[in-house]
PDB file of all heavy atoms in Angstrom:
ATOM      1  N   ASP A  45     -49.248 -52.852 -33.135  1.00  0.00           N
ATOM      2  CA  ASP A  45     -48.984 -53.083 -31.721  1.00  0.00           C
ATOM      3  C   ASP A  45     -48.779 -51.778 -30.946  1.00  0.00           C
ATOM      4  O   ASP A  45     -48.105 -51.752 -29.929  1.00  0.00           O
ATOM      5  CB  ASP A  45     -47.760 -54.001 -31.557  1.00  0.00           C
ATOM      6  CG  ASP A  45     -47.844 -54.795 -30.248  1.00  0.00           C
ATOM      7  OD1 ASP A  45     -48.905 -54.753 -29.600  1.00  0.00           O
ATOM      8  OD2 ASP A  45     -46.848 -55.432 -29.874  1.00  0.00           O
ATOM      9  N   CYS A  77     -38.426 -46.018 -39.079  1.00  0.00           N
ATOM     10  CA  CYS A  77     -38.275 -46.466 -40.472  1.00  0.00           C
ATOM     11  C   CYS A  77     -38.595 -45.355 -41.454  1.00  0.00           C
ATOM     12  O   CYS A  77     -38.303 -45.468 -42.638  1.00  0.00           O
ATOM     13  CB  CYS A  77     -39.144 -47.686 -40.750  1.00  0.00           C
ATOM     14  SG  CYS A  77     -40.902 -47.308 -41.022  1.00  0.00           S
ATOM     15  N   LYS A  92     -40.191 -37.783 -36.565  1.00  0.00           N
ATOM     16  CA  LYS A  92     -39.450 -36.792 -35.790  1.00  0.00           C
ATOM     17  C   LYS A  92     -40.313 -36.219 -34.658  1.00  0.00           C
ATOM     18  O   LYS A  92     -39.819 -35.920 -33.565  1.00  0.00           O
ATOM     19  CB  LYS A  92     -38.969 -35.665 -36.710  1.00  0.00           C
ATOM     20  CG  LYS A  92     -37.666 -35.082 -36.267  1.00  0.00           C
ATOM     21  CD  LYS A  92     -37.064 -34.177 -37.322  1.00  0.00           C
ATOM     22  CE  LYS A  92     -35.833 -33.486 -36.747  1.00  0.00           C
ATOM     23  NZ  LYS A  92     -35.357 -32.408 -37.600  1.00  0.00           N
ATOM     24  N   ASP A 151     -29.261 -71.520 -27.922  1.00  0.00           N
ATOM     25  CA  ASP A 151     -29.209 -72.624 -28.891  1.00  0.00           C
ATOM     26  C   ASP A 151     -28.319 -72.290 -30.081  1.00  0.00           C
ATOM     27  O   ASP A 151     -27.684 -73.157 -30.663  1.00  0.00           O
ATOM     28  CB  ASP A 151     -30.630 -72.985 -29.364  1.00  0.00           C
ATOM     29  CG  ASP A 151     -31.323 -71.805 -30.023  1.00  0.00           C
ATOM     30  OD1 ASP A 151     -31.161 -70.669 -29.540  1.00  0.00           O
ATOM     31  OD2 ASP A 151     -32.022 -72.011 -31.028  1.00  0.00           O
ATOM     32  N   LYS A 159     -18.691 -70.003 -36.329  1.00  0.00           N
ATOM     33  CA  LYS A 159     -18.558 -69.249 -37.572  1.00  0.00           C
ATOM     34  C   LYS A 159     -17.712 -67.978 -37.383  1.00  0.00           C
ATOM     35  O   LYS A 159     -17.537 -67.206 -38.320  1.00  0.00           O
ATOM     36  CB  LYS A 159     -19.947 -68.862 -38.097  1.00  0.00           C
ATOM     37  CG  LYS A 159     -20.709 -70.031 -38.724  1.00  0.00           C
ATOM     38  CD  LYS A 159     -22.090 -69.602 -39.192  1.00  0.00           C
ATOM     39  CE  LYS A 159     -22.826 -70.741 -39.869  1.00  0.00           C
ATOM     40  NZ  LYS A 159     -22.439 -70.937 -41.284  1.00  0.00           N
ATOM     41  N   ARG A 180     -19.524 -34.979 -21.250  1.00  0.00           N
ATOM     42  CA  ARG A 180     -19.850 -33.582 -21.551  1.00  0.00           C
ATOM     43  C   ARG A 180     -21.352 -33.405 -21.742  1.00  0.00           C
ATOM     44  O   ARG A 180     -21.913 -32.375 -21.388  1.00  0.00           O
ATOM     45  CB  ARG A 180     -19.118 -33.135 -22.822  1.00  0.00           C
ATOM     46  CG  ARG A 180     -17.743 -32.570 -22.535  1.00  0.00           C
ATOM     47  CD  ARG A 180     -17.071 -32.080 -23.813  1.00  0.00           C
ATOM     48  NE  ARG A 180     -15.692 -32.536 -23.816  1.00  0.00           N
ATOM     49  CZ  ARG A 180     -15.200 -33.442 -24.648  1.00  0.00           C
ATOM     50  NH1 ARG A 180     -15.961 -33.995 -25.572  1.00  0.00           N
ATOM     51  NH2 ARG A 180     -13.953 -33.814 -24.548  1.00  0.00           N
TER      52      ARG A 180
ATOM     53  N   GLU B  93     -29.303 -31.992 -39.291  1.00  0.00           N
ATOM     54  CA  GLU B  93     -29.596 -31.239 -38.051  1.00  0.00           C
ATOM     55  C   GLU B  93     -28.556 -30.147 -37.823  1.00  0.00           C
ATOM     56  O   GLU B  93     -28.869 -29.057 -37.363  1.00  0.00           O
ATOM     57  CB  GLU B  93     -29.582 -32.173 -36.838  1.00  0.00           C
ATOM     58  CG  GLU B  93     -30.799 -33.052 -36.634  1.00  0.00           C
ATOM     59  CD  GLU B  93     -32.074 -32.286 -36.325  1.00  0.00           C
ATOM     60  OE1 GLU B  93     -32.077 -31.479 -35.380  1.00  0.00           O
ATOM     61  OE2 GLU B  93     -33.067 -32.495 -37.042  1.00  0.00           O
ATOM     62  N   ALA B 106     -19.473 -30.509 -27.713  1.00  0.00           N
ATOM     63  CA  ALA B 106     -19.603 -31.875 -27.180  1.00  0.00           C
ATOM     64  C   ALA B 106     -18.445 -32.771 -27.632  1.00  0.00           C
ATOM     65  O   ALA B 106     -17.970 -33.601 -26.873  1.00  0.00           O
ATOM     66  CB  ALA B 106     -20.945 -32.482 -27.590  1.00  0.00           C
ATOM     67  N   ARG B 152     -34.759 -43.672 -47.156  1.00  0.00           N
ATOM     68  CA  ARG B 152     -35.718 -42.726 -46.573  1.00  0.00           C
ATOM     69  C   ARG B 152     -35.053 -41.876 -45.501  1.00  0.00           C
ATOM     70  O   ARG B 152     -34.340 -42.434 -44.656  1.00  0.00           O
ATOM     71  CB  ARG B 152     -36.906 -43.479 -45.930  1.00  0.00           C
ATOM     72  CG  ARG B 152     -37.983 -43.885 -46.904  1.00  0.00           C
ATOM     73  CD  ARG B 152     -39.239 -44.272 -46.159  1.00  0.00           C
ATOM     74  NE  ARG B 152     -39.033 -45.443 -45.322  1.00  0.00           N
ATOM     75  CZ  ARG B 152     -39.254 -46.706 -45.699  1.00  0.00           C
ATOM     76  NH1 ARG B 152     -39.684 -46.967 -46.911  1.00  0.00           N
ATOM     77  NH2 ARG B 152     -39.051 -47.690 -44.870  1.00  0.00           N
ATOM     78  N   ARG B 197     -37.877 -57.012 -28.979  1.00  0.00           N
ATOM     79  CA  ARG B 197     -39.161 -57.526 -29.442  1.00  0.00           C
ATOM     80  C   ARG B 197     -38.951 -58.396 -30.683  1.00  0.00           C
ATOM     81  O   ARG B 197     -39.363 -58.029 -31.801  1.00  0.00           O
ATOM     82  CB  ARG B 197     -40.116 -56.357 -29.777  1.00  0.00           C
ATOM     83  CG  ARG B 197     -40.704 -55.622 -28.567  1.00  0.00           C
ATOM     84  CD  ARG B 197     -41.732 -56.462 -27.803  1.00  0.00           C
ATOM     85  NE  ARG B 197     -42.809 -56.929 -28.648  1.00  0.00           N
ATOM     86  CZ  ARG B 197     -43.960 -56.263 -28.866  1.00  0.00           C
ATOM     87  NH1 ARG B 197     -44.178 -55.114 -28.269  1.00  0.00           N
ATOM     88  NH2 ARG B 197     -44.891 -56.764 -29.653  1.00  0.00           N
ATOM     89  N   ASP B 271     -19.670 -68.725 -46.230  1.00  0.00           N
ATOM     90  CA  ASP B 271     -20.002 -69.746 -45.220  1.00  0.00           C
ATOM     91  C   ASP B 271     -20.436 -69.132 -43.893  1.00  0.00           C
ATOM     92  O   ASP B 271     -20.693 -69.851 -42.940  1.00  0.00           O
ATOM     93  CB  ASP B 271     -18.785 -70.652 -44.991  1.00  0.00           C
ATOM     94  CG  ASP B 271     -17.562 -69.863 -44.523  1.00  0.00           C
ATOM     95  OD1 ASP B 271     -17.533 -68.626 -44.735  1.00  0.00           O
ATOM     96  OD2 ASP B 271     -16.644 -70.464 -43.944  1.00  0.00           O
ATOM     97  N   LYS B 272     -20.522 -67.816 -43.822  1.00  0.00           N
ATOM     98  CA  LYS B 272     -20.849 -67.170 -42.546  1.00  0.00           C
ATOM     99  C   LYS B 272     -22.354 -67.065 -42.288  1.00  0.00           C
ATOM    100  O   LYS B 272     -22.765 -66.763 -41.176  1.00  0.00           O
ATOM    101  CB  LYS B 272     -20.237 -65.764 -42.486  1.00  0.00           C
ATOM    102  CG  LYS B 272     -18.718 -65.736 -42.507  1.00  0.00           C
ATOM    103  CD  LYS B 272     -18.124 -66.300 -41.232  1.00  0.00           C
ATOM    104  CE  LYS B 272     -16.611 -66.277 -41.271  1.00  0.00           C
ATOM    105  NZ  LYS B 272     -16.019 -67.124 -40.213  1.00  0.00           N
TER     106      LYS B 272
END
Side-chain angles (χ1 to χ4, degrees):
Chain A
D45 207 9
C77 79
K92 212 168 173 191
D151 60 321
K159 285 178 178 279
R180 271 183 225 112
Chain B
E93 283 295 306
R152 277 195 296 268
R197 286 289 304 270
D271 59 340
K272 296 291 180 195

